Amino acid sequence: MEILRKKEYDTKKEQKIIRLRNQLQRTSSSDLEGQYLLCDKLYWEYKDYLFDSAHVYTKRLIRIATALKHVPRKYESQIKLGFIQVSCGMFKEAFDGIDQLEVGLMPDEVKFRYYQLKTRAFTRLSMYNTNKFYSPVHQSESMVALICAIQLSPPHSFERLSLTAVLYNNMNKTKEAAACYRRLLQRETLSEHQKAIAAHNLSNLTDGPEKRSLITTSAIYDIRTSTKETLAIFRLAELLFKEGNIEDAEFMLKEATEQASFYGNKLYNDEIMTAMKALEAEKLIRLESSKNDTLTVLICILAAAITVTGITFFVVYKKLQDVRLREVYVNEQNRQLDHLNKKLSEDAIIKEEYIGYFFQVVSGYIQKLEKIKRSSERMIRHDSYKDLAEIAKGIDIKKERTSLFDTFDNIFLKLFPNFISSFNSLLKAEDQIIPKKTEVLNTSLRIFALVRLGIKDSQTIANILENTISTIYTYKFRVKSKAIVQGEEFDKMIMEIKFNDQEKQTVNS
């Protein structure tokens, strides 16, 4: 197989390149003409072999042509750059370069290459960008450039006949296009690279054994000429894959991947990787198919064992289900017990705080009553009713009630330090309730503070706050109507506001 001699052909290619590069190094820096000719030869050696090096020498050709002030050569070098850019899918760069060229300043030979480049660029772009709005435009531009290129191509040349075949193919005249390629392949004067191009293009117009023969021929010539910017081996791999020859297809795909990577063609590399994935999938399918035959036998052998195991499993499973149900029940009971213990602990602390507060307040009021009693008895004995009236006037019930509420509020916030922020989190930002600077809690907050303490009866709350029951209902309704949660969910979340000891436990845990 020619593919096994690939290194031999590549070595000859490299040796030729080395000789040209050595000649270029020995060329005087003032001999721009000699440098241009050698860089041009190196470009043609690298053009279908290695993109990066071809790019370097093309850029150098442009610089030399600019220094020589030789406009046709400069344009020709820019066109050469465009060809290799299109090969690698650098369409923007290629079209930017094309737009800089002035056709009127070109001789016919350069003008031919210019239209040949435009034909290739728009054709490749229409294949790459298949959008229904842009692809027809690109195809139309390609046809215009193609016709111009045919008119400017040398008569009876490889280019003339090859471009004519492309034109026939674009016009859906596949027989005429195939005839052009066959005429080319009959010529003895064609180079191996030209034979590879003609054979590959003709294979796209044929089927069956002839198609495979032509693709194989094209791949052989590509190997002999060390052409890496090619799809022949990849197309041969696709054909082998369709025929079911997985091993040879995989071998060819790996070779095509090496070619695309070596040249630096990312577009071809992506296409090849997609084909590789399809091939790997087919290999897996075939592997699974062979396994299925073995598995069929194993399944028959294991069927009886599986049946017995299934019965055993069912029995064990039922027992495990019973155990799990009991476990769920026990866990739920433990959870409820834990919740109850926390609630009892909370109630105990609340009662302890408020009982202490109650005795303190009652003790204070007893002392006040005892003091008022003594003063009253003394004044009655001395008939000082005016002073007695002053004592009665000095008792400020509103102030006492305010003091009572302030004491309640402070004790409550000691037990529930996050109550206000937690309560407001249940309301929209614009509806949140913030006590005044002179208040600890206001009436709305105090009502729901009592609810958090477990006092849910509105009449009881009204008695504690010395309000009517309708007032309490109004406050509750007004707050709940602005809440982000509704109904029982709001009351539930009020009861879930963290107790001081619970907050500490959460932080410690």
Side-chain angles (χ1 to χ4, degrees):
M1 291 177 66
E2 286 293 312
I3 200 167
L4 298 178
R5 299 179 62 190
K6 180 183 67 171
K7 288 186 179 180
E8 177 187 335
Y9 295 124
D10 289 352
T11 300
K12 289 181 181 179
K13 181 84 166 179
E14 290 288 348
Q15 289 173 349
K16 186 176 181 180
I17 289 171
I18 290 169
R19 286 196 298 270
L20 289 170
R21 289 173 64 181
N22 289 336
Q23 289 179 40
L24 182 61
Q25 287 179 351
R26 292 193 297 268
T27 303
S28 171
S29 59
S30 60
D31 185 7
L32 295 178
E33 183 70 26
Q35 286 184 37
Y36 184 88
L37 294 174
L38 286 168
C39 286
D40 189 57
K41 289 180 181 179
L42 283 163
Y43 162 78
W44 286 107
E45 292 298 326
Y46 278 123
K47 178 179 177 292
D48 299 307
Y49 182 63
L50 188 61
F51 169 79
D52 289 342
S53 297
H55 190 272
V56 168
Y57 285 104
T58 309
K59 287 287 190 179
R60 191 166 176 180
L61 281 171
I62 295 171
R63 290 197 300 271
I64 296 170
T66 303
L68 288 169
K69 297 181 180 179
H70 197 303
V71 175
R73 279 186 175 177
K74 180 183 176 182
Y75 281 3
E76 186 179 5
S77 300
Q78 288 177 317
I79 290 168
K80 287 173 180 176
L81 177 62
F83 270 106
I84 61 173
Q85 286 173 336
V86 170
S87 295
C88 279
M90 300 168 65
F91 297 113
K92 182 183 182 303
E93 293 80 358
F95 282 107
D96 286 345
I98 290 172
D99 291 339
Q100 294 174 8
L101 303 177
E102 296 183 32
V103 183
L105 300 177
M106 301 178 188
D108 285 349
E109 183 181 351
V110 178
K111 197 178 294 184
F112 159 68
R113 297 284 292 163
Y114 167 79
Y115 284 114
Q116 191 180 21
L117 170 60
K118 285 191 74 173
T119 301
R120 185 172 185 181
F122 279 112
T123 300
R124 287 284 185 92
L125 185 58
S126 67
M127 294 168 61
Y128 175 72
N129 184 3
T130 57
N131 185 283
K132 65 179 180 179
F133 297 108
Y134 296 105
S135 184
V137 177
H138 299 151
Q139 290 170 0
S140 177
E141 292 282 353
S142 174
M143 281 290 287
V144 173
L146 175 60
I147 293 169
C148 293
I150 292 172
Q151 292 172 348
L152 292 166
S153 62
H156 311 297
S157 64
F158 172 83
E159 288 79 6
R160 170 67 69 93
L161 204 51
S162 182
L163 291 171
T164 302
V166 174
L167 180 61
Y168 278 133
N169 190 38
N170 289 346
M171 297 168 63
N172 294 322
K173 295 182 178 181
T174 55
K175 289 183 180 179
E176 290 82 350
C180 290
Y181 289 127
R182 288 194 173 93
R183 284 171 57 191
L184 282 174
L185 289 172
Q186 290 171 1
R187 293 184 180 182
E188 296 180 358
T189 56
L190 290 187
S191 68
E192 289 185 327
H193 184 56
Q194 289 173 332
K195 290 177 182 178
I197 294 171
H200 184 268
N201 290 340
L202 180 56
S203 71
N204 293 327
L205 304 173
T206 58
D207 293 306
E210 184 183 13
K211 183 181 185 74
R212 179 171 179 177
S213 175
L214 287 166
I215 295 176
T216 304
T217 300
S218 178
I220 289 171
Y221 284 129
D222 282 338
I223 293 166
R224 288 178 181 176
T225 56
S226 294
T227 299
K228 308 298 182 183
E229 206 284 298
T230 176
L231 280 175
I233 290 179
F234 174 56
R235 299 303 179 206
L236 181 58
E238 286 185 320
L239 194 60
L240 291 168
F241 179 71
K242 289 178 181 178
E243 293 174 355
N245 190 342
I246 300 298
E247 291 183 5
D248 288 342
E250 184 177 18
F251 178 78
M252 291 296 176
L253 278 176
K254 288 179 179 178
E255 179 60 29
T257 303
E258 288 181 15
Q259 282 186 339
S261 298
F262 183 86
Y263 181 77
N265 194 326
K266 293 182 180 179
L267 282 179
Y268 286 170
N269 206 28
D270 292 342
E271 191 175 352
I272 292 166
M273 289 306 297
T274 301
M276 283 288 284
K277 290 177 181 177
L279 186 139
E280 290 297 327
E282 180 63 24
K283 284 174 65 179
L284 285 172
I285 290 169
R286 292 192 175 193
L287 180 63
E288 291 300 320
S289 180
S290 63
K291 286 181 179 178
N292 285 341
D293 296 335
T294 305
L295 284 173
T296 301
V297 177
L298 291 174
I299 289 170
C300 293
I301 296 172
L302 294 174
I306 290 172
T307 303
V308 174
T309 304
I311 295 170
T312 305
F313 173 80
F314 179 76
V315 174
V316 173
Y317 175 77
K318 291 298 289 182
K319 291 183 178 179
L320 283 174
Q321 285 292 95
D322 293 340
V323 172
R324 285 173 184 168
L325 288 172
R326 293 192 188 101
E327 185 180 349
V328 169
Y329 176 77
V330 170
N331 288 337
E332 178 61 22
Q333 293 296 315
N334 287 336
R335 189 189 67 78
Q336 292 180 6
L337 184 60
D338 183 60
H339 178 73
L340 183 60
N341 286 336
K342 287 180 180 179
K343 186 65 179 173
L344 289 173
S345 176
E346 176 185 320
D347 291 346
I349 293 171
I350 291 171
K351 288 174 182 177
E352 181 182 335
E353 288 285 338
Y354 278 104
I355 288 171
Y357 154 69
F358 171 77
F359 278 110
Q360 181 182 354
V361 171
V362 170
S363 176
Y365 280 118
I366 290 173
Q367 290 176 4
K368 285 182 180 180
L369 286 171
E370 185 178 1
K371 185 176 179 181
I372 291 169
K373 178 186 176 186
R374 290 174 182 171
S375 297
S376 299
E377 288 175 345
R378 178 169 48 80
M379 290 174 185
I380 290 170
R381 283 197 302 269
H382 294 88
D383 296 327
S384 300
Y385 297 108
K386 185 177 181 180
D387 292 336
L388 187 61
E390 287 297 324
I391 290 176
K393 191 182 297 182
I395 299 173
D396 190 341
I397 300 300
K398 182 178 181 181
K399 181 179 179 182
E400 292 296 331
R401 184 183 297 114
T402 302
S403 175
L404 178 69
F405 287 158
D406 284 346
T407 306
F408 168 83
D409 294 347
N410 284 310
I411 294 174
F412 179 80
L413 289 180
K414 178 182 175 183
L415 296 171
F416 298 91
N418 296 321
F419 177 78
I420 296 175
S421 59
S422 298
F423 179 83
N424 279 324
S425 68
L426 302 176
L427 304 174
K428 298 175 184 176
E430 63 272 16
D431 296 324
Q432 292 185 356
I433 299 172
I434 307 298
K436 297 177 183 177
K437 290 183 179 180
T438 57
E439 298 176 330
V440 181
L441 297 176
N442 57 26
T443 303
S444 296
L445 290 171
R446 200 171 289 125
I447 289 170
F448 287 97
L450 290 167
V451 170
R452 178 61 186 88
L453 291 174
I455 303 170
K456 298 181 180 179
D457 180 59
S458 296
Q459 183 62 60
T460 303
I461 295 173
N463 293 338
I464 293 173
L465 300 181
E466 297 186 5
N467 275 310
T468 64
I469 189 169
S470 61
T471 302
I472 301 301
Y473 279 131
T474 301
Y475 272 103
K476 281 186 175 183
F477 176 78
R478 191 178 299 160
V479 171
K480 288 185 177 183
S481 65
K482 297 176 182 178
I484 58 177
V485 292
Q486 299 299 323
E488 295 181 359
E489 186 66 21
F490 182 83
D491 294 334
K492 180 181 177 183
M493 295 187 76
I494 289 291
M495 295 305 294
E496 289 178 355
I497 292 175
K498 295 290 185 181
F499 180 62
N500 187 34
D501 277 11
Q502 291 176 347
E503 290 285 344
K504 292 177 182 178
Q505 289 171 13
T506 303
V507 173
N508 294 334
S509 60

